[in-house]
Structures are given as C-alpha cells and as structure tokens.
C-alpha cells in the first residue's frame, strides 16, 4: 500500500480525464490519472470515429485513446492502474481517495472524469444470458455472432452504429426500437435504411430474453408491441442492448450534488462543483452533448480552473504566513 501525492488528482482516463491531464501536466501540476476499469473510456469500445476534429480520415476509437494517453504521459502525467472505491472530499483540499489496490491518493485538486456506463433493460433473462447471447458492446462481442441472426435494441447513435457494425459479421441484423422514429443523427439513419442487411422493428419493447445460459444461450426475445399490445417471440442468437448510458457517480452519492438522473451538478458554464477545488468534466456532468470532443473540452476547462484554484490557495496561504510573521 502506497500513498501518492499530487497537485491534481484525476479520476477517469477517457477524453475528459486525459485532456485535463495534458493541460494539468503542462501547467506543472504533475497530475495523476487513476484509470478505472475501462482505461481510455467509452471510445475504446467503438471502432470508427469520424467527428473528432483533426483527422481527415476515419480514426479508430481505441487508437485515438492510446494517442491521448501517450500525449498525457509524454508531458508528465502519471497513469495508475487502479479504481477509486472511496473518496473524502467534505473537508476540502487536499482530497483523499482510496483505490481498489489499497493505495491512497492525496490531491490538492480533484478532477472527476468518471464518464458513463452502458444501461441495461432490467428485464428477465438479461443478466442470466449476459455473455451468452446478450451484450452491450457489438464491437467487443460482434465477432462471436458471425453468420448469425442478431438484434440491436435502441434508437440512438450507439444502437445505429452497433447495427451497422454488426453487418460486418451478420447478414441478418434487426434494429428494435420502442418508438417509430430513431433518435440518432440523420446521416447514420440514412446508412441504416440504405443497408439491406438491416431490418427495423418499430414500436417494440423487449420484455424478456429467452434461452438457457447452460445450453446454447439466447434463442429468442419476447417482444411487446407498444401500439397494439401484441406479444410475440422473435428468434435471435445475439442481442445487443444499446439504450444509452448512466453517469458513473455512485462514488459521489451524498458527497456531491447530482441531478435526478445522477449527473454531477456544476456551476453553469464551468466544471466547478459546489466544493472548491473539485471539478467535474465530460459525460459525468453532461447529459446533453456527450461527445468525445465536448468531454475533452470540459477536461481542459477543469484543468485550467484547477490551476487557478491552486494559485489562489497558494496566494492566500502566503498572505496568511506573512501576516503571522
Ligand atoms: P468515458 O469515456 O466514459 O471515461 C470514463 C473513465 O472513467 C474511464 O476511463 C473509466 O475507467 C473511469 N472511471 C469510472 N469510474 C472510475 C473509478 N471509480 N475510479 C477510476 N476511474 C474510473 N463520441 C464522439 O464524439 N464520437 C463518436 O464517434 C463516439 N462514438 C461512441 C461510440 C460508443 C459505442 C459509445 C458508447 C460512445 C461514443 N461516443 C462518441 C461518446 C464518447 O465516447 C463519450 O462522450 C466520451 O468517451 C466521454 O468521455 P469521458 O472522458 O467523459 O468518459
Ligand atoms: P441515447 O442517445 O440516450 O439513446 C438511447 C436510445 O435507447 C433511445 O433511442 C431511447 O429511446 C432508447 N431507450 C432508452 N431506454 C430504453 C428502454 N428502457 N427500452 C427501450 N429503449 C430504450 O444513447 P446513445 O445512443 O448511447 O448515445 C449517447 C451519447 O453518445 C449521445 O450523445 C450520442 O450522440 C453519443 N454518441 C455519438 C456517436 C457519434 O457521434 N457517432 C456514437 C455513439 C454515441 P427513445 O428514443 O424513445 O428515448
């Protein structure tokens, strides 16, 4: 067990955390990034990224995150293979966090960039058949369904991208959505509607995942038609749940303000939480935009504000010392 001290402790290694680290390191704050269970964050579970500025051609999510990490380390960031399990912020700076490893992290400022996690439907069979036909990541698991009939549940960008990705492995992909209109960007919708490997089932909710986890896994979905109320069985070997993400804020319950959906609350237009010296950036505080570039942008803002906070704190300490002399 070790204790690590830093002027800027960053929890999370997605675009928000790594951008904060790049700015923090360049401001001589010697940041520590605690990476968590998903080093590189959500973009490591996707393939093509076409909208991150600076690249004329499509880049791969995992590659982009490796580059961000390399840049952060190059300018002096320390990356830690650990997950924060407890945090003490009520007493103000310095803040103390404890990792799964037992190590302790003391940060004069704290940047929370814990992002978001995939949501599940919470219906019977989903948990039992997880990894046996039910998944939340086509790019991770799509390969296992080569040549099989698969379904994607959801209507946002993630669902549409998952469906498109799955056509690399399957000629029979069905997108199942609870409404009759997709939420995803128009350009992605056009790709789905123009792809003859993808069918759509509108106004359907999945009520149950059917199959035996010990024998063959998922075999079908029980569907409910939201318009007619008709219940049907849809045979399928793989189902990808892509209904969005929930902010990873369990660690901060009762310690920081959150909105009704669990997103951290910040002073509007800034990454400042109600506790001076604690900043939140990226998807953990943004339920509207949730993009890599906005996460990176707010990560930058968090680092700049952390630097200002420390400068003010140091100035106040200096004045107090001088007054005492
Ligand atoms: P995340 O990327 O979610 O990273 C969170 C980090 O926090 C992770 O490293 C995790 O390990 C860490 N963490 C969590 N809890 C702890 C803890 N207790 N201790 C330590 N670490 C912890 N956006 C785009 O702009 N373009 C795209 O093409 C695009 N494609 C996407 C495809 C998919 C499949 C998904 C799911 C999202 C996509 N997005 C895309 C959205 C984009 O990935 C997110 O907006 C972005 O990753 C958010 O960055 P973040 O740093 O806030 O959080
Ligand atoms: P999202 O935009 O919140 O969409 C979630 C979808 O799942 C919606 O269509 C929603 O239906 C449906 N849904 C939610 N709960 C459901 C339930 N219980 N049962 C059935 N369906 C349910 O989430 P996302 O697609 O994961 O995207 C998250 C963010 O990441 C977005 O900001 C997105 O732009 C971004 N992202 C960007 C890209 C890209 O730029 N290429 C790629 C992926 C993700 P309703 O429509 O009826 O609400």
């Amino acid at each position: 067990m070790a204790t690590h001290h830093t002027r800027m402790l960053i929890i999370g290694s997605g675009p928000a955390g790594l951008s904060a680290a790049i700015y923090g390191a360049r401001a001589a704050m010697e940041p520590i990034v605690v990476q968590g269970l998903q080093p590189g964050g959500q973009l490591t579970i996707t393939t093509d990224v076409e909208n991150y500025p600076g690249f004329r051609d499509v880049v791969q999510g995992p590659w982009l995150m490796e580059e961000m990490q390399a840049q952060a380390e190059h300018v002096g960031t320390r990356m830690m293979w650990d997950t924060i399990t407890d945090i003490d912020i009520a007493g103000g700076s310095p803040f103390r966090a404890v990792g799964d490893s037992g190590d302790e992290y003391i940060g004069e400022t704290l940047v929370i960039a814990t992002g978001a996690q995939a949501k599940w439907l919470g219906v019977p069979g989903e948990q039992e058949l997880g990894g046996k036909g039910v998944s939340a990541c086509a790019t991770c698991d799509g390969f296992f369904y080569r040549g099989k009939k698969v379904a994607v549940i959801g209507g946002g960008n993630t669902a549409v991208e998952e469906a498109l990705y799955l056509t690399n492995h399957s000629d029979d992909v069905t997108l199942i959505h609870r409404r009759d209109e997709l939420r995803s960007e128009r350009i992605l919708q056009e790709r789905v509607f123009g792809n003859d490997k993808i069918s759509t089932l509108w106004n359907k909710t999945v009520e149950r995942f059917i199959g035996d986890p010990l024998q063959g896994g998922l075999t079908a979905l029980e569907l409910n038609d939201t318009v007619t109320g008709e219940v049907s069985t849809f045979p399928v070997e793989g189902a990808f749940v892509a209904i969005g993400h929930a902010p990873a804020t369990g660690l901060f319950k009762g310690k920081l303000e959150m909105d009704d959906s669990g997103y951290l609350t910040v002073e509007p237009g800034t990454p400042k939480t109600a506790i001076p010296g604690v900043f939140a950036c990226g998807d953990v505080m943004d339920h509207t935009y949730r993009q890599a570039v906005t996460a990176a942008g707010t990560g930058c803002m968090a680092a700049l504000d952390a630097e200002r906070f420390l400068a003010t704190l140091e100035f106040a300490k200096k004045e107090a010392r001088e007054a005492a002399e």
Side-chain angles (χ1 to χ4, degrees), residues 21-318:
I22 291 164
Y23 276 79
R26 287 174 50 78
M29 294 172 80
E30 297 174 338
I32 285 180
V33 171
V34 182
Q35 305 192 65
L37 293 175
Q38 191 177 57
Q42 293 169 63
L43 279 191
T44 60
I45 59 162
T46 190
T47 48
D48 296 356
V49 177
E50 298 180 61
N51 49 15
Y52 197 81
F55 305 99
R56 187 184 317 198
D57 298 320
V58 171
V59 295
Q60 300 299 299
W63 175 85
L64 183 60
M65 296 319 300
E66 272 172 33
E67 290 298 306
M68 275 192 213
Q69 180 177 330
Q71 188 181 0
E73 288 181 302
H74 178 70
V75 289
T77 303
R78 271 187 290 165
M79 304 293 299
M80 312 300 288
W81 287 97
D82 209 347
T83 299
I84 299 301
T85 53
D86 195 17
I87 189 126
D88 181 5
I89 46 185
S93 173
F95 307 101
R96 179 180 170 274
V98 180
D100 197 31
S101 65
D103 281 10
E104 185 184 41
Y105 301 87
I106 310 286
E108 290 173 44
T109 59
L110 177 67
V111 173
I112 300 168
T114 48
Q117 301 260 305
K119 276 189 198 164
W120 294 94
L121 290 167
V123 299
E126 185 177 49
Q127 230 183 342
E128 298 85 330
L129 290 160
K132 312 270 184 210
V134 179
S135 165
C137 179
T139 46
C140 317
D141 300 331
F143 182 79
F144 302 120
Y145 300 93
R146 211 175 192 96
K148 296 184 176 171
K149 184 177 164 78
V150 295
V152 176
I153 300 128
N157 275 348
T158 303
V160 162
E161 286 198 336
E162 300 266 88
L164 288 165
Y165 175 79
L166 284 166
T167 60
N168 294 319
H169 300 298
S170 165
D171 292 341
D172 192 349
V173 179
T174 304
L175 185 62
I176 301 174
H177 187 34
R178 64 181 176 183
R179 294 189 290 131
D180 62 357
E181 194 185 6
L182 295 175
R183 179 185 287 278
S184 72
E185 285 168 37
R186 192 65 58 186
I187 187 169
L188 293 174
Q189 294 193 24
E190 282 165 13
R191 282 184 210 162
V192 161
F193 298 141
N195 191 318
D196 59 14
K197 294 180 181 175
I198 304 178
S199 322
T200 42
L201 275 180
W202 301 114
N203 300 319
K204 300 277 189 294
T205 54
V206 174
E207 298 298 317
R208 193 159 66 96
F209 292 87
I210 302 166
D212 182 344
L214 301 175
Q215 272 190 340
L218 181 74
T219 52
L221 305 175
E222 184 182 299
L223 301 180
N224 176 49
D225 189 303
T226 58
V227 178
T228 63
E230 187 192 337
V231 175
S232 58
T233 302
F234 186 70
V236 78
E237 287 167 280
F240 294 84
V241 179
I243 59 165
H245 291 76
T249 52
L251 197 55
F252 309 103
K253 278 213 173 93
K255 299 179 179 176
L256 283 173
E257 269 175 46
M258 297 175 194
D259 68 12
D260 291 346
S261 309
Y263 286 87
L264 293 182
T265 308
V266 291
E267 188 183 304
T270 81
K272 294 176 187 168
T273 70
I275 297 186
V278 179
F279 305 91
C281 52
D283 281 14
V284 77
M285 49 71 90
D286 167 23
H287 50 78
T288 310
Y289 302 105
R290 293 179 294 172
Q291 298 294 301
V293 67
T294 49
T298 53
C300 156
M301 289 159 70
L304 295 177
D305 279 344
E307 192 189 345
R308 285 183 197 129
F309 169 82
L310 274 187
T312 310
L313 196 69
E314 277 156 22
F315 183 73
K317 278 185 190 163
K318 186 168 162 268

